Amino acid sequence: MKSFIKWFVTSLKNKSVKTKVLGITIGLVILMALTSTIILREILVVKLSEDLDRRAVSIASDLSARGTDYTLLKDIVSLNNLIQDTMSNNPDIEYIFIADENFNIVIHTFGSDFKVSEKLININLLDGNPEKYSHQLVTFQSEAGTIHDVISPMLEGEVGFVRVGLNEKQIYKTIDEITFIIIISTISVGFIGFMISFLLTKVMYRDLNHLINVTKKVGAGDLQCKVEINSKDEIGLLASEFDTMIKRLKYKNEENNKYLNVLKLRNSELSLLHQLAVSSVDLHNFNKHIESTAIRLMEELNLNSCFIELNLADERISTFKGRSNCAVGDNKACENCLFFRENNVLHDKQLYVPIKAKTEIGQINVCFGNKPDETTKKFIHSFSRQLSVIAENARLWKEVKYKEELRIKLLERVITAQEEERKRIARELHDETSQSITSIIVGLTLLEEQSVSEKMTQDIVDIKEVSQKTLDEIHYISWSLRPSVLDDLGLLPAIKKYVIEYMKKYDIDVDIQVIGFHQLRLLSIIEVTIYRVIQEALTNAARHAKAENISIILKHVNGIVSVIIEDDGVGFNAKKVLNGKLTKDHLGLKGMQERIESIGGNLIIESNEGIGTTIYVKDIVIGDETNG
Ligand SMILES: Nc1ncnc2c1ncn2[C@@H]1O[C@H](COP(=O)(O)OP(=O)(O)O)[C@@H](O)[C@H]1O
Ligand SMILES: [Mg+2]
């Protein structure tokens, strides 16, 4: 039973509302018809049986009253007439028989050949006490059906007895007829009910179906569909609520789309500005960046044409991108966008924005597919401002670059002039001054030979000594100013020579390590620069550091030269010195830095007071190197 209910409930759940409604209607009609028929039949059986009993009693009493005389007179004909009369008026009478006081049958309705059986007579006998009862009712089963048998005594049984048997058959016939009518009317009512339910569910189902279809469409993202509201019942209410829901959803969707568009625009703006920012760093390819920016602008804002023009100090950058399907109609018109400005005519899909720095330095002239909204216009304006900043940056960068190039050129010239001057002084000292002092020494030697007194000889020897010292000093100075070995043999021999002289002079131990440098000759400017830096570093170590040991590493790897000079002296605050104001007294370190940078290298000084100083010369890319 449980599983049946479960099955019934699940199969009911899976059925459509239409089937459910129709099923329930038909089921209820059938159930009602069945129960009412059964109850009615039960009631009718009881009522009609009682009625049959009453009629049986009344017929028997009537016959006994009317038949008493005929029985006494033995008037069989009249009795027969009476019985036949009664029979014809009551079709459910199965039999009538009249017996005398001794229960001898006087007349009966079983036919002439038939004899009333003892058994039938004995079924209802008034218990041998006829004066006590007016009648007695007995119900029994016979082959013909259920019989309601009534015995009625005539003159308290002194004349005889009347027995009447009424068959229930007639009752059931009547009940069957009534049942038949009920069934027919039930079927008719059921059919009408079915038709009404069918039509009702059809109407209901049409609205529901419509709602289901709309729900499916909304589910698939179509918010344009309309909900029809055909009634004011629950389904109508549902439809109206659903309609409100779709409208809200549509509104929200539109809002979202609006925000999405703004976000998209912002995103494009950011990405474009980012692209511009990148281009501002890569100013070598500024033209290309402006061109790709114009293409991006076309894509992001769905432009028909885009013209960007920038007038930088010595350069004019202009780019034009256009699509064939211009807003105004054809190519020519799109090209016209560019010239509208000249005629001072702008159509409503065109936007001209000047790019201004201190003065107007360019323009953005765009032609939109659709009339642009305020956000888009603002975007173009902010884009133009950004472009002006970048253009200004580019201009400044070019200026700085130009000035830097100029400075380096000047520096090179100064260094070259300085070197030339040193060379000249060195040569002069060597060729002129040294020669003169040598002549003095030769003269003094001659004078010494001709000396007349010992004192004079001693004075001449003293002057010779001073002259010799001065000559040595001049030699050292001339060599320091520009050692010929640097020009003749190159950097490494020159440094080695310098170090030997230096150690002699200052009593400081200098260690030189050389990596990948043998026989390598570099550009004269590079050799001189490195030589001067080492010279300055060693001089500083001697003058300021109180160093005892110095190490020099000279390295050449893959066309890049680097030098490290390290001393174990007192150290100093390098940052302070390098970032401090330039004074004419302390130009050594700054000069070193400038010289190295002028040949494309980097100079880093690491020094801490009490620890020592390390100078790194890095990233010198050697150009036309020569070996040997
Ligand atoms: N190797 C060093 N050890 C200690 N102090 C140094 C060293 N090199 C430079 N200095 C400090 O830095 C200052 C600046 O040096 P420099 O620019 O060469 O100018 P100058 O040698 O003419 O003083 C020096 O006066 C000195 O105090
Ligand atoms: Mg110095």
Side-chain angles (χ1 to χ4, degrees):
M1 187 64 185
K2 250 188 184 176
S3 58
F4 170 76
I5 291 170
K6 209 175 160 188
W7 167 83
F8 183 72
V9 170
T10 23
S11 47
L12 205 67
K13 271 186 195 165
N14 294 336
K15 295 285 178 271
S16 68
V17 176
K18 199 167 153 185
T19 318
K20 275 180 209 161
V21 171
L22 287 178
I24 288 168
T25 313
I26 293 167
L28 279 179
V29 168
I30 290 171
L31 195 71
M32 215 179 79
L34 269 177
T35 42
S36 56
T37 309
I38 289 166
I39 292 167
L40 198 71
R41 275 180 77 97
E42 287 303 314
I43 293 168
L44 278 176
V45 167
V46 173
K47 289 286 169 200
L48 288 178
S49 301
E50 283 172 10
D51 187 53
L52 199 73
D53 288 345
R54 270 196 300 278
R55 277 203 303 120
V57 170
S58 122
I59 291 166
S61 305
D62 181 57
L63 276 176
S64 85
R66 286 166 67 189
T68 307
D69 291 345
Y70 299 138
T71 311
L72 272 174
L73 295 170
K74 304 259 190 244
D75 184 354
I76 300 299
V77 176
S78 299
L79 267 180
N80 191 39
N81 285 344
L82 182 67
I83 288 169
Q84 289 309 323
D85 215 23
T86 310
M87 286 281 279
S88 64
N89 289 332
N90 297 285
D92 42 4
I93 291 175
E94 187 65 31
Y95 56 83
I96 298 171
F97 63 86
I98 296 170
D100 60 13
E101 69 275 20
N102 297 320
F103 280 98
N104 294 318
I105 301 298
V106 179
I107 193 162
H108 65 81
T109 56
F110 292 110
S112 51
D113 301 335
F114 198 81
K115 211 177 156 228
V116 180
S117 70
E118 280 295 312
K119 197 181 163 193
L120 180 63
I121 295 166
N122 291 334
I123 277 176
N124 197 0
L125 283 175
L126 272 184
D127 300 337
N129 217 353
E131 54 281 359
K132 212 174 163 187
Y133 305 101
S134 60
H135 66 270
Q136 180 173 282
L137 181 78
V138 169
T139 306
F140 67 91
Q141 289 297 329
S142 75
E143 282 171 7
T146 308
I147 305 292
H148 291 239
D149 185 290
V150 173
I151 183 164
S152 181
M154 289 185 281
L155 284 180
E156 293 175 350
E158 280 177 19
V159 177
F161 303 90
V162 175
R163 287 268 300 272
V164 177
L166 263 69
N167 201 333
E168 272 189 0
K169 237 196 254 169
Q170 196 58 39
I171 299 176
Y172 283 106
K173 211 177 151 194
T174 313
I175 290 172
D176 284 347
E177 277 168 16
I178 293 168
T179 309
F180 179 71
I181 290 164
I182 290 172
I183 286 169
I184 290 296
S185 42
T186 306
I187 289 171
S188 315
V189 170
F191 181 72
I192 293 164
F194 174 79
M195 285 316 284
I196 291 169
S197 312
F198 183 77
L199 288 174
L200 267 175
T201 46
K202 207 173 169 190
V203 172
M204 259 167 58
Y205 210 68
R206 194 191 60 203
D207 291 348
L208 265 179
N209 243 350
H210 171 68
L211 265 181
I212 289 166
N213 283 338
V214 172
T215 314
K216 274 183 187 165
K217 279 185 189 168
V218 171
D222 176 13
L223 295 179
Q224 299 305 323
C225 47
K226 271 202 85 97
V227 182
E228 285 169 22
I229 304 161
N230 298 320
S231 60
K232 285 187 175 172
D233 58 6
E234 283 86 343
I235 292 175
L237 210 69
L238 184 70
S240 129
E241 285 297 317
F242 194 57
D243 193 46
T244 319
M245 200 180 88
I246 292 174
K247 276 177 192 154
R248 273 200 210 130
L249 215 65
K250 210 166 131 186
Y251 173 72
K252 284 271 169 226
N253 216 28
E254 279 166 6
E255 286 280 291
N256 279 354
N257 280 345
K258 249 190 240 166
Y259 286 127
L260 205 70
N261 280 342
V262 172
L263 265 180
K264 265 188 193 165
L265 204 67
R266 288 270 168 277
N267 201 30
S268 315
E269 196 176 322
L270 273 178
S271 128
L272 270 165
L273 293 182
H274 171 74
Q275 191 169 339
L276 273 183
V278 170
S279 67
S280 71
V281 178
D282 182 19
L283 289 166
H284 292 292
N285 298 311
F286 196 57
N287 292 21
K288 268 191 191 167
H289 286 300
I290 292 295
E291 200 172 317
S292 62
T293 305
I295 295 171
R296 283 285 311 276
L297 212 58
M298 293 271 297
E299 284 166 3
E300 301 290 351
L301 300 181
N302 195 24
L303 301 177
N304 281 322
S305 69
C306 173
F307 177 64
I308 300 176
E309 186 188 34
L310 266 177
N311 290 307
L312 301 178
D314 53 345
E315 204 182 349
R316 177 181 173 269
I317 296 170
S318 84
T319 181
F320 170 69
K321 300 284 162 208
R323 273 188 213 142
S324 53
N325 58 335
C326 175
V328 203
D330 56 33
N331 288 350
K332 265 189 181 173
C334 200
E335 282 166 19
N336 282 344
C337 296
L338 299 177
F339 306 113
F340 272 143
R341 199 188 143 226
E342 286 170 18
N343 307 332
N344 278 332
V345 182
L346 293 173
H347 58 72
D348 64 349
K349 288 170 191 165
Q350 195 197 1
L351 185 67
Y352 161 76
V353 179
I355 302 170
K356 286 180 182 165
K358 279 175 198 149
T359 54
E360 190 174 323
I361 55 162
Q363 60 161 305
I364 301 176
N365 199 338
V366 288
C367 178
F368 292 91
N370 298 311
K371 203 178 156 194
D373 57 12
E374 281 312 306
T375 325
T376 316
K377 281 184 188 170
K378 268 188 199 161
F379 171 49
I380 297 282
H381 278 276
S382 80
F383 184 70
S384 134
R385 278 195 295 278
Q386 193 66 23
L387 216 55
S388 83
V389 170
I390 285 162
E392 186 62 10
N393 275 354
R395 195 185 60 75
L396 286 174
W397 183 79
K398 281 195 173 176
E399 210 173 289
V400 167
K401 203 178 141 203
Y402 172 72
K403 284 188 176 160
E404 180 62 16
E405 278 168 4
L406 205 70
R407 194 183 70 87
I408 286 177
K409 263 186 203 155
L410 277 174
L411 193 71
E412 264 173 23
R413 258 194 231 165
V414 168
I415 291 169
T416 319
Q418 201 182 42
E419 286 301 323
E420 285 303 317
E421 188 60 13
R422 283 181 174 187
K423 239 188 209 173
R424 194 187 60 77
I425 295 169
R427 209 167 34 238
E428 211 138 274
L429 280 175
H430 183 267
D431 296 350
E432 303 289 328
T433 319
S434 299
Q435 290 307 319
S436 303
I437 293 172
T438 310
S439 303
I440 291 170
I441 293 171
V442 172
L444 283 172
T445 313
L446 286 174
L447 216 66
E448 195 187 343
E449 284 165 10
Q450 294 163 20
S451 171
V452 283
S453 67
E454 218 168 87
K455 170 133 184 352
M456 194 178 161
T457 309
Q458 189 53 49
D459 285 346
I460 291 169
V461 169
D462 287 349
I463 295 170
K464 248 177 83 180
E465 250 176 45
V466 172
S467 301
Q468 191 57 50
K469 257 192 188 166
T470 310
L471 189 64
D472 291 346
E473 197 71 27
I474 285 171
H475 268 148
Y476 181 75
I477 292 170
S478 122
W479 170 78
S480 298
L481 279 170
R482 182 73 181 203
S484 56
V485 65
L486 182 62
D487 294 321
D488 302 339
L489 299 174
L491 182 63
L492 199 56
I495 288 171
K496 281 181 177 167
K497 182 94 193 339
Y498 178 76
V499 164
I500 292 165
E501 293 297 324
Y502 177 86
M503 286 200 291
K504 261 194 236 161
K505 200 171 180 210
Y506 295 110
D507 194 23
I508 298 173
D509 194 34
V510 181
D511 172 54
I512 307 178
Q513 281 184 49
V514 183
I515 303 162
F517 222 94
H518 306 285
Q519 310 289 317
L520 188 69
R521 287 302 308 260
L522 311 172
L523 278 179
S524 168
I525 179 82
I526 297 178
E527 287 193 328
V528 172
T529 305
I530 295 175
Y531 182 82
R532 291 293 177 214
V533 166
I534 292 173
Q535 203 179 21
E536 177 64 29
L538 291 187
T539 310
N540 277 352
R543 280 176 65 195
H544 311 298
K546 295 179 192 136
E548 288 175 7
N549 295 289
I550 297 172
S551 118
I552 301 171
I553 301 170
L554 215 65
K555 202 161 97 178
H556 166 239
V557 178
N558 297 332
I560 294 177
V561 168
S562 55
V563 186
I564 303 170
I565 308 136
E566 195 178 12
D567 70 52
D568 61 351
V570 294
F572 68 108
N573 190 335
K575 257 188 204 162
K576 206 170 148 187
V577 174
L578 284 174
N579 297 334
K581 273 191 181 168
L582 265 182
T583 59
K584 64 177 181 354
D585 303 329
H586 305 293
L587 288 172
L589 295 180
K590 291 248 166 131
M592 260 165 131
Q593 201 172 31
E594 286 199 330
R595 272 172 178 267
I596 292 296
E597 280 170 8
S598 76
I599 56 165
N602 279 309
L603 184 123
I604 299 163
I605 301 174
E606 272 180 14
S607 183
N608 283 307
E609 282 165 28
I611 293 174
T613 304
T614 310
I615 297 170
Y616 298 92
V617 176
K618 293 187 191 166
D619 310 326
I620 300 173
V621 180
I622 50 175
D624 299 334
E625 65 201 66
T626 45
N627 275 311

